[in-house]
Amino acid sequence: MNHTPTVAIPTTDRAQQAIGQIAVDLPGATAVFRRLKLDFCCGGQVPLKQACDSKGLPLDAVLAELVSLERSSEPPVTESPEVMIDHILARYHAVHREQLPELIRMARRVEAVHRESPDVPHGLAEHLEAMEDELLDHMDKEEQILFPMLQAGSQPQASGPIHVLREEHNGHGLMLERLMALTGDATPPRGACNTWRALYAGIAQLSDDLINHIHLENNLLFPLFEPAPQAPQVAA
């Protein structure tokens, strides 16, 4: 499942970009605009600079917040568990905790405002809430149990928690499949409003982030603490 990655845009160009387009192109921007009371839905055709000027907001500060949302998905080039864990905590755990409440809020709005539309994703907010509950519980287990073990080098004791968390990763994969089914692979319908389009862009980003998060743990971090697979016995 491949989605177009967020591309860094020069701040001079971003300042002249319509805020509705920024909301769609840059997952997480909706939370910034909502907090600053910048209307990205009905007033989404206004350039960011003009919108900030009309509210008396410092453009440079708003641009800096938007730049902070442009995150790389590349894992660190390292075999150090400590570096990998620090990267997972900052790039994925913290980001998931920011992503999901905003996606749930937008899903509730889309389901309410467009409830008569045949394209509305009924049950999306409820599914995102279930995903949030599972992810928060999963990340708490990693942060409170597994990661301290790995950082202490407790290889034998780590195999049990790793097995449990691998199984939970499988469950996350099934929830992602359901999420994509509800949203038509995060493809907004023709004529969707900016909130709907931003919601689906954020869901696409969540999907990519969660897939990369699971890959980093399953294929790079966990194998450092698991017994090497034994070679098959060759009959004499």
Side-chain angles (χ1 to χ4, degrees):
M1 190 181 313
N2 294 314
H3 300 291
T4 303
T6 300
V7 177
I9 293 178
T11 53
T12 52
D13 294 341
R14 184 75 83 192
Q16 298 304 322
Q17 193 176 15
I19 62 173
Q21 194 60 50
I22 297 172
V24 172
D25 291 345
L26 185 60
T30 57
V32 174
F33 293 155
R34 185 166 51 85
R35 177 168 49 78
L36 298 175
K37 296 182 169 55
L38 293 172
D39 180 8
F40 63 88
C41 199
C42 297
Q45 73 281 3
V46 177
L48 177 64
K49 182 179 186 306
Q50 181 182 333
C52 289
D53 289 345
S54 69
K55 292 282 189 179
L57 297 170
L59 177 62
D60 288 347
V62 176
L63 286 169
E65 284 201 62
L66 297 177
V67 166
S68 72
L69 298 174
E70 295 169 351
R71 306 176 177 108
S72 171
S73 295
E74 292 300 316
V77 182
T78 179
E79 292 187 0
S80 163
E82 292 79 12
V83 172
M84 283 192 215
I85 288 170
D86 286 345
H87 177 74
I88 289 167
L89 292 173
R91 175 59 186 85
Y92 295 112
H93 285 207
V95 172
H96 293 330
R97 288 186 171 109
E98 290 177 5
Q99 288 170 317
L100 281 156
E102 180 67 6
L103 293 176
I104 291 166
R105 187 197 69 81
M106 286 195 289
R108 285 191 188 125
R109 180 169 178 79
V110 167
E111 288 186 68
V113 172
H114 302 283
R115 57 185 173 274
E116 303 301 330
S117 169
D119 298 310
V120 74
H122 293 294
L124 178 58
E126 183 180 4
H127 184 67
L128 286 167
E129 287 172 341
M131 287 188 71
E132 181 182 40
D133 288 344
E134 289 203 7
L135 269 174
L136 290 177
D137 180 67
H138 178 86
M139 292 188 296
D140 283 345
K141 288 175 188 171
E142 291 185 335
E143 292 167 11
Q144 296 174 21
I145 300 171
L146 180 63
F147 288 172
M149 271 186 195
L150 303 188
Q151 289 167 323
S154 304
Q155 183 166 338
Q157 294 91 335
S159 60
I162 286 175
H163 175 75
V164 170
L165 293 170
R166 280 188 181 277
E167 289 297 313
E168 291 185 1
H169 285 168
N170 293 337
H172 299 333
L174 294 175
M175 296 198 87
L176 275 179
E177 288 181 13
R178 173 62 178 156
L179 182 63
M180 290 297 106
L182 278 169
T183 60
D185 285 332
T187 304
R190 184 184 299 274
C193 69
N194 284 340
T195 299
W196 201 334
R197 294 166 63 211
L199 167 64
Y200 280 19
I203 284 172
Q205 184 66 63
L206 170 67
S207 174
D208 285 348
D209 282 351
L210 188 52
I211 288 168
N212 288 329
H213 179 183
I214 292 171
H215 158 69
L216 180 52
E217 292 182 352
N218 275 2
N219 301 325
L220 297 177
L221 177 63
F222 292 171
L224 296 176
F225 295 88
E226 293 173 313
Q230 294 191 354
Q233 297 292 326
V234 179

